Amino acid sequence: MTSSRRSLFRVAALALCAFGAVQTSYAQQKLGSSTISVVPSTSAVVLYVARDEGFFEREGLEVKITEFASGAEAERAMVAGAVDMGGGGVGTTLLMANQGIKAKNVVLLQKKPIFTLVASNRANLKPGDLKGLKGKTVGVSSPGSLSDLFLRIALRDAGLDPDKDLTVVATGGLAAHLPALQTGRVDAQMTWEPSTVTLTRKEKAATVLLDLRGDDVPAPLQNLLGSSLQATDKWLSTPSNLAKAQAAARAITKASRAINDKPDLMVPTLQRMFPSLSPDLLTEIARVEAPAFSPLITKEAIDHMSKVYRGAGLTKSDVAYADIVDPRLAAEWK
């Protein structure tokens, strides 16, 4: 080999080393801390896994998770600036866009809704009998929450007017759902895990009328995305905040795929969230929920949701993909 060729190889090797050093420096860059508001639910598990398994840390981000009783409260905290980013329903970002609130989905948490509609056994309703809810009282976590929105879509599909044919009341977080059913305050409840298995399997106090996690759901509820991590355009307008959001998107993407591959990663977080449940029920929840974790929000899904929400009277105008998805964040869902 000639001396000139050896020199070229040395230059190339040095260039590769320099590139690697830049990449390492970028990966180890400290972006600072961020606060995230969530509802303690199975959708939020991916955030805890991202934190506890070091995915956030490896992206240079320190995350503090603040828990709220409902998705509506978590999103209000984000909109008000009380936290940096908030966990809530993708559908709620469509509502916010219609209200002139500019916010973006940072990354998807779950591609399916987590909710089940359960009825008290005293109501004598069979699975799928939504028409039987006429004249009855149904609980949701809070007005405007994802549980409220999905209930209204399902009721309208069943031919019921949620504002006239029955009474919808706010019952709060998971801890209130069992007492609300047991005391007769509500005849049915929109709930989520671990309340679903607690009410139907552990306490045997209720029957599942509608499970939005499955494929056997009314047409308007098919292909509706579940929860996402969100941030306001105002917060994202600062370059340092955008970098934090991008890091969060990368970390959650990696955590989602880790859960897909190994559902048991969910179990330690579920145990902390729901200590009264037996290990077998926690493992069952992980098995059922793990396949729904996905970071991707497609234009097709948003177009479909926009059509469904407008048809249900929840929004007055269509919402474009670009209104609620920033391509700089979407690029991190790899």
Side-chain angles (χ1 to χ4, degrees):
M1 181 181 295
T2 65
S3 59
S4 60
R5 292 187 67 184
R6 282 196 295 270
S7 297
L8 285 174
F9 277 119
R10 280 197 294 270
V11 170
L14 287 172
L16 286 172
C17 289
F19 177 76
V22 170
Q23 291 293 92
T24 300
S25 175
Y26 176 79
Q28 294 176 348
Q29 182 182 3
K30 299 298 183 182
L31 299 175
S33 62
S34 278
T35 52
I36 294 177
S37 59
V38 300
V39 180
S41 65
T42 50
S43 284
V45 167
V46 68
L47 298 173
Y48 292 93
V49 169
R51 184 193 66 184
D52 297 343
E53 296 294 321
F55 290 104
F56 284 131
E57 183 180 5
R58 286 193 285 276
E59 295 296 337
L61 190 63
E62 180 184 346
V63 168
K64 178 183 178 182
I65 299 174
T66 303
E67 296 179 352
F68 288 82
S70 74
E73 292 175 322
E75 285 167 315
R76 281 195 291 268
M78 178 266 296
V79 171
V83 296
D84 298 331
M85 294 176 276
V90 173
T92 310
T93 63
L94 275 69
L95 300 181
M96 289 192 288
N98 261 237
Q99 296 164 4
I101 301 172
K102 295 183 178 180
K104 296 293 187 291
N105 292 283
V106 174
V107 62
L108 188 65
L109 303 183
Q110 280 190 311
K111 60 186 177 182
K112 284 181 177 288
I114 62 173
F115 301 104
T116 55
L117 175 60
V118 302
S120 167
N121 290 335
R122 293 192 301 271
N124 293 319
L125 295 176
K126 295 181 179 180
D129 185 16
L130 297 188
K131 291 184 181 296
L133 292 172
K134 187 171 184 177
K136 299 189 183 299
T137 301
V138 182
V140 297
S141 59
S142 66
S145 66
L146 205 57
S147 62
D148 184 27
L149 297 178
F150 284 146
L151 172 66
R152 290 174 181 275
I153 292 173
L155 291 173
R156 287 191 176 97
D157 182 72
L160 297 177
D161 186 329
D163 296 313
K164 296 179 180 180
D165 293 330
L166 65 155
T167 303
V168 179
V169 299
T171 52
L174 288 176
H177 296 180
L178 177 60
L181 283 166
Q182 288 178 325
T183 61
R185 181 186 173 198
V186 299
D187 302 296
Q189 174 73 45
M190 279 292 277
T191 192
W192 57 92
E193 296 292 9
S195 184
T196 300
V197 296
T198 299
L199 293 169
T200 61
R201 296 270 304 278
K202 185 179 178 183
E203 300 294 335
K204 302 187 186 307
T207 300
V208 174
L209 290 184
L210 179 65
D211 191 337
L212 299 185
R213 300 170 299 177
D215 297 323
D216 187 19
V217 295
L221 288 167
Q222 292 175 5
N223 302 316
L224 296 185
L225 300 178
S227 296
S228 67
L229 184 65
Q230 305 157 12
T232 63
D233 285 18
K234 180 180 179 181
W235 185 79
L236 289 168
S237 66
T238 303
S240 60
N241 290 341
L242 175 62
K244 291 179 181 180
Q246 290 171 315
R250 290 192 298 271
I252 292 167
T253 294
K254 293 170 184 174
S256 292
R257 289 175 177 151
I259 289 173
N260 295 155
D261 293 338
K262 189 178 179 182
D264 284 353
L265 280 176
M266 297 177 64
V267 173
T269 298
L270 292 173
Q271 287 175 328
R272 289 196 299 273
M273 284 183 175
F274 318 123
S276 65
L277 285 187
S278 63
D280 61 317
L281 289 180
L282 294 173
T283 300
E284 179 181 337
I285 291 172
R287 179 186 58 78
V288 171
E289 299 276 351
F293 286 97
S294 171
L296 303 175
I297 302 173
T298 66
K299 182 180 184 300
E300 290 75 17
I302 296 304
D303 290 345
H304 170 70
M305 292 182 70
S306 181
K307 180 179 179 181
V308 169
Y309 272 56
R310 190 171 182 182
L314 298 172
T315 55
K316 294 182 179 179
S317 60
D318 291 331
V319 177
Y321 186 70
D323 292 335
I324 57 175
V325 174
D326 187 324
R328 296 172 297 178
L329 296 171
E332 307 298 337
W333 309 336
K334 300 174 183 176

